[in-house]
């Protein structure tokens, strides 16, 4: 998944959009209707959420749910990834997300989650 390696999967799929449709093993979540808040985490690839996440987002109904995206990246910001996922979902109350660097600690994540005041 090394984006700096032109022979890596992520680089190949980036250059060939028709290869991005990755079938997920599972797109459903047990007891989905019982969740009011959903966190969606993903790596950032070229300023957008890993395209694999799209399959999950498009397969689920987020109506009535608060959705909070977060991502990891060694260099890119969260960009418009959360907005693009919200558009793909077509439902749910999507909040602004957060980007965590590879050096983020558990304390960093805990502080962010607690600051959301959910």
């Amino acid at each position: 998944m090394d984006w700096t390696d032109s022979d890596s999967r992520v680089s190949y799929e980036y250059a060939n959009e028709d290869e991005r449709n990755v079938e997920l093993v599972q797109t459903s979540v047990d007891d989905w209707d019982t969740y009011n808040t959903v966190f969606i985490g993903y790596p950032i690839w070229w300023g957008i959420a890993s395209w694999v996440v799209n399959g999950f987002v498009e397969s689920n109904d987020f109506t009535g749910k608060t959705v909070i995206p977060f991502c990891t990246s060694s260099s890119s910001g969260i960009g418009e990834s959360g907005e693009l996922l919200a558009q793909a979902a077509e439902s749910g109350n999507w909040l602004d997300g957060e980007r965590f660097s590879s050096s983020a600690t558990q304390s960093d994540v805990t502080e962010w989650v607690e600051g959301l005041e959910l």
Side-chain angles (χ1 to χ4, degrees):
M1 296 305 228
D2 181 0
W3 67 272
T4 63
D5 177 358
S6 61
D7 293 326
S8 72
R9 173 185 158 199
V10 68
S11 295
Y12 177 78
E13 290 175 8
Y14 175 72
N16 300 282
E17 287 188 39
D18 57 330
E19 297 295 323
R20 294 183 186 179
N21 188 15
V22 178
E23 186 174 333
L24 299 174
V25 173
Q26 181 175 339
T27 58
S28 61
V29 175
D30 292 339
D31 301 320
W32 180 249
D33 292 339
T34 66
Y35 292 94
N36 296 321
T37 303
V38 177
F39 286 83
I40 296 184
Y42 49 88
I44 287 288
W45 291 350
W46 284 277
I48 60 173
S50 161
W51 32 88
V52 178
V53 178
N54 293 341
F56 174 79
V57 168
E58 292 167 354
S59 296
N60 288 282
D61 182 3
F62 293 89
T63 301
K65 299 181 186 315
T66 298
V67 187
I68 306 155
F70 67 96
C71 67
T72 57
S73 173
S74 61
S75 60
S76 298
I78 194 166
E80 61 179 349
S81 62
E83 292 104 12
L84 293 172
L85 290 173
Q87 288 173 8
E90 298 181 346
S91 62
N93 176 30
W94 289 68
L95 303 183
D96 290 337
E98 184 72 25
R99 173 240 182 214
F100 293 98
S101 70
S102 57
S103 63
T105 64
Q106 181 174 343
S107 176
D108 295 332
V109 176
T110 300
E111 183 178 324
W112 171 67
V113 171
E114 289 174 353
L116 294 171
E117 299 179 2
L118 297 174

